[in-house]
Amino acid sequence: MSVTVDGDKSRLVPVRVRRILRGPRPEKVPSLVGTACTLIGLIDIAAGVFPRFRASRVHAIAEVLPGTLGPLSAALSLSAGVLLLLLAHGLKRHKRRAWRAAVVLLPLGAAAQFIWRHSVLGALLSLALLALLVRHRGEFAALPDPRSRWRALANFIVMGAGSLALGLVIVSAHPRRVVGDPSLSDRLEHVLYGLFGVEGPIAYTHGVDWTVGYSLGALGMLTALTTIYLALRPEHPAARLTDDDEARLRALLAQHGGRDSLGHFALRRDKGVVFSPSGKAAVCYRVVSGVMLASGDPIGDVEAWPGAIERFMDEAKAHSWTPAVMGCSETGGHVWTRETGLDALELGDEAVVDVADFSLSGRAMRNVRQMVKRIERNGYTTQVRRVRDLTDTELEQIRAAAAHWRGTDTERGFSMALGRIGAPGDGDAVIATAHKTDNTADTAPGPFGDLKAIIHFVPWGPDGMSLELMRRDRSADPGMNELLIVAALQAAPTLGIARVSLNFAMFRAALARGEKIGAGPVLRAWRGLLVFLSRWFQIESLYKFNAKFQPRWEPRFVIYRKSRDLPRIGFAAMQAEGFVNLSLPRPFTRRTTPAPRPCAHLPAPARPEQEVRAA
């Protein structure tokens, strides 16, 4: 067994024994404390719901204490247990506010355990965890959400006032079972005591006092739980991309924007940004459910990337967020893993078409060629222009059509979507539109004139463009997306474009290898699962759509800290992309999608074949 010298006594002590004597490593303490807090919370809940039989020696002493035979101890034990369960996750994330709340709740829970259930062991467990928290208090220093404090306070005031009003109704709802004639002040005092689980001055007959007591205790618990949740929930900071930040990012993109096709998407208004100390590099991110999500490679000079990455990691550590990067390139993956010690996992491939090599001739392009010719014979025409060359009327019409054809209330996309068209500073973006004029006399023009489909590209350095969204009218012929992509690729040389980034295909390698002859059973099963999931997430359809244009494939990676973080990162990414929405339903909220002025009757909106490149 490995040994080491202990002090000056030169006494050999096993390393394993020394580790046990020293206790857990400081970085492991929050996880251990969070798990123990969950266990003790469950014990407190069980103690409040299932009290021990009262024929015990401790009962003879506790019986003389005021309030112990009422619902006080049970309500306190139950409330402390539920609150400790809520605090467990915050403790694992090093949250200072969770530590303070746990230090207050643990002795209360221990007292309730001893008085109500007469459990010495349960009380000792709570006190032992309290001692561990106090000893390692320096490990709990993560910054809270500054907005949560005010929301928690507002919730406490509103819920408290509502609980008082409803409590007065509950107290006064049994006039025939009330002993005496209590005044309004007595009723209010009874409500205040009852919200904390304490018996008030009003007495009832026929067991009504327990009904009123538990009802008031439930109101108090609801107020406490919602307030604690708002105070300790994961941070969702608002967008912090200021005008100054955007100007600095545009300056970096002007110099280094050709490195990454996702660089322009850093200008989304709902992203925050951290800059390197020199200001020559930046990392843009969004915080979703406690995950700090960056997208693509850092912006700016590669030599300054480590400084921006270090600032990113410091920000994540200060708030105890889980750091993650979605869709970085192979070069970015090497820098991220080298500078942070994080791991990388191939997420999929990006389809990139070199304009000089693109042609509709050949057997491989036969399907696309036939589809494009068929649509053109049906009377469709295309236009490919820079956004700055559009008139204000055309731009407004395109915006209205894109919003109406979206088909969902949520604008999807995060890492590979900009979320706007024709904003100031985006004049270099490219718009491809499809048009069809109906010559039938008895057919009224559509709400958007002859406009039938839209494709929007954002700049990728001085000689490239990156696909941002594709929208089409449901009444248009199938194949609008293929038509516009071909038109954009054919018009690219006149616009000075040499390379075009198309959609991102998740798990492309598995889909491609899994359908080949000789694929193993594991690979075939994995491909089968991906095909099944494609019913909801367009995994296979995007891969096949991209493959039509014979692109070259550039791998993209997800950067993560631990394997157990991957499900959480994936769920946060789905929230950021708009596939999962955890906000409360608003049945009475009317959809506010702007309609164009000249329309009289809008067709029913529908989901397009390919909504955004980030699907």
Side-chain angles (χ1 to χ4, degrees), residues 305-541:
W305 282 8
I309 291 174
E310 183 180 3
R311 288 281 181 89
F312 176 88
M313 296 300 294
D314 290 342
E315 188 78 5
K317 182 178 180 181
H319 294 269
S320 190
W321 294 327
T322 300
V325 184
M326 300 296 297
C328 70
S329 68
E330 191 169 2
T331 301
H334 281 300
V335 177
W336 274 100
T337 55
R338 183 191 66 207
E339 296 296 328
T340 63
L342 302 178
D343 290 328
L345 178 67
E346 185 172 343
L347 187 62
D349 295 89
E350 177 187 11
V352 179
V353 178
D354 295 315
V355 175
D357 300 332
F358 177 76
S359 173
L360 283 178
S361 61
R363 183 177 179 85
M365 298 296 295
R366 183 180 60 180
N367 291 336
V368 176
R369 181 173 62 252
Q370 292 176 348
M371 179 175 291
V372 169
K373 289 183 177 180
R374 176 180 58 81
I375 296 175
E376 289 176 344
R377 286 195 300 268
N378 290 340
Y380 287 89
T381 59
T382 59
Q383 287 183 298
V384 182
R385 294 166 289 176
R386 298 277 186 182
V387 169
R388 60 171 173 263
D389 296 330
L390 296 171
T391 65
D392 293 339
T393 302
E394 290 175 324
L395 187 57
E396 285 299 323
Q397 185 185 52
I398 289 173
R399 287 172 177 167
H404 183 70
W405 293 340
R406 185 171 62 216
T408 61
D409 292 332
T410 302
E411 182 72 47
R412 291 183 175 176
F414 163 68
S415 56
M416 302 177 185
L418 189 62
R420 63 179 185 267
I421 298 177
D426 293 336
D428 288 338
V430 175
I431 290 283
T433 54
H435 306 265
K436 182 181 180 181
T437 303
D438 198 332
N439 297 324
T440 305
D442 58 349
T443 303
F448 308 107
D450 61 352
L451 185 63
K452 298 299 179 181
I454 303 165
I455 287 187
H456 182 223
F457 297 87
V458 298
W460 174 15
D463 62 346
M465 61 184 184
S466 187
L467 181 59
E468 196 264 335
L469 66 79
M470 298 184 289
R471 303 275 168 82
R472 70 176 183 89
D473 188 350
R474 188 179 183 182
S475 63
D477 293 350
M480 289 291 102
N481 295 326
E482 290 86 345
L483 172 68
L484 288 180
I485 288 180
V486 170
L489 291 172
Q490 292 176 340
T494 61
L495 299 174
I497 302 297
R499 51 187 179 165
V500 177
S501 172
L502 299 179
N503 287 296
F504 170 74
M506 291 184 63
F507 309 115
R508 182 204 66 87
L511 290 170
R513 292 196 299 265
E515 63 183 355
K516 291 183 178 179
I517 186 172
V522 176
L523 186 57
R524 287 183 180 274
W526 174 228
R527 182 183 180 278
L529 177 61
L530 294 177
V531 172
F532 174 75
L533 295 176
S534 297
R535 299 179 181 180
W536 298 278
F537 300 110
Q538 298 183 348
I539 299 174
E540 185 185 27
S541 59

Side-chain angles (χ1 to χ4, degrees), residues 191-239:
V191 172
L192 290 174
Y193 279 124
L195 292 177
F196 291 94
V198 182
E199 292 182 348
I202 301 178
Y204 295 88
T205 60
H206 298 84
V208 176
D209 53 345
W210 286 93
T211 302
V212 173
Y214 277 116
S215 299
L216 295 176
L219 288 175
M221 183 183 297
L222 180 62
T223 303
L225 292 181
T226 54
T227 303
I228 291 292
Y229 168 75
L230 291 175
L232 300 175
R233 66 175 180 170
E235 184 170 0
H236 294 273

Side-chain angles (χ1 to χ4, degrees), residues 40-283:
I40 293 177
L42 293 174
I43 293 175
D44 284 345
I45 293 174
V49 177
F50 306 106
R52 180 182 296 178
F53 183 69
R54 290 182 167 273
S56 61
R57 296 180 180 178
V58 182
H59 177 65
I61 301 175
E63 194 176 26
V64 300
L65 299 177
T68 57
L69 297 182
L72 169 61
S73 301
L76 182 59
S77 180
L78 186 61
S79 300
V82 175
L83 294 177
L84 285 174
L85 289 180
L86 292 177
L87 293 172
H89 182 63
L91 291 173
K92 289 183 178 181
R93 298 180 61 231
H94 305 252
K95 289 296 185 179
R96 186 68 175 178
R97 196 177 293 174
W99 178 88
R100 292 172 180 170
V103 168
V104 174
L105 283 173
L106 284 171
L108 295 178
Q113 285 256 26
F114 182 77
I115 296 174
W116 176 250
R117 199 168 186 266
H118 310 158
S119 174
V120 178
L121 179 60
L124 290 179
L125 287 176
S126 298
L127 295 178
L129 180 58
L130 176 63
L132 188 62
L133 280 172
V134 174
R135 179 182 177 184
H136 296 280
R137 56 185 176 274
E139 295 295 320
F140 302 90
L143 299 176
D145 180 4
R147 297 185 301 133
S148 290
R149 180 176 302 174
W150 297 110
R151 291 191 176 184
L153 179 60
N155 177 83
F156 178 76
I157 295 174
V158 174
M159 289 291 296
S163 297
L164 283 175
L166 186 57
L168 285 174
V169 175
I170 294 174
V171 169
S172 305
H174 308 277
R176 297 182 180 181
R177 304 296 174 87
V178 178
V179 177
D181 186 18
S183 62
L184 179 61
S185 60
D186 293 333
R187 297 175 188 271
L188 183 60
E189 182 181 357
H190 192 87
V191 172
L192 290 174
Y193 279 124
L195 292 177
F196 291 94
V198 182
E199 292 182 348
I202 301 178
Y204 295 88
T205 60
H206 298 84
V208 176
D209 53 345
W210 286 93
T211 302
V212 173
Y214 277 116
S215 299
L216 295 176
L219 288 175
M221 183 183 297
L222 180 62
T223 303
L225 292 181
T226 54
T227 303
I228 291 292
Y229 168 75
L230 291 175
L232 300 175
R233 66 175 180 170
E235 184 170 0
H236 294 273
R240 294 193 300 248
L241 194 63
T242 63
D243 293 339
D244 180 64
D245 292 336
E246 183 176 347
R248 296 175 66 182
L249 286 174
R250 288 188 182 275
L252 293 177
L253 288 173
Q255 298 179 4
H256 308 281
R259 293 186 179 274
D260 186 14
S261 63
L262 309 186
H264 199 84
F265 299 118
L267 299 176
R268 283 182 64 105
R269 303 284 165 73
D270 56 358
K271 288 185 178 181
V273 60
V274 289
F275 290 91
S276 65
S278 63
K280 295 181 179 180
V283 175

Side-chain angles (χ1 to χ4, degrees), residues 291-293 313 322-326 328 333 336-337 340-346 557-567 569-570:
V291 178
M292 191 175 183
L293 279 175
M313 296 300 294
T322 300
V325 184
M326 300 296 297
C328 70
W336 274 100
T337 55
T340 63
L342 302 178
D343 290 328
L345 178 67
E346 185 172 343
F557 300 85
V558 56
I559 307 298
Y560 62 98
R561 183 170 53 189
K562 299 177 182 177
S563 298
R564 66 186 182 190
D565 292 335
L566 285 175
I569 293 171

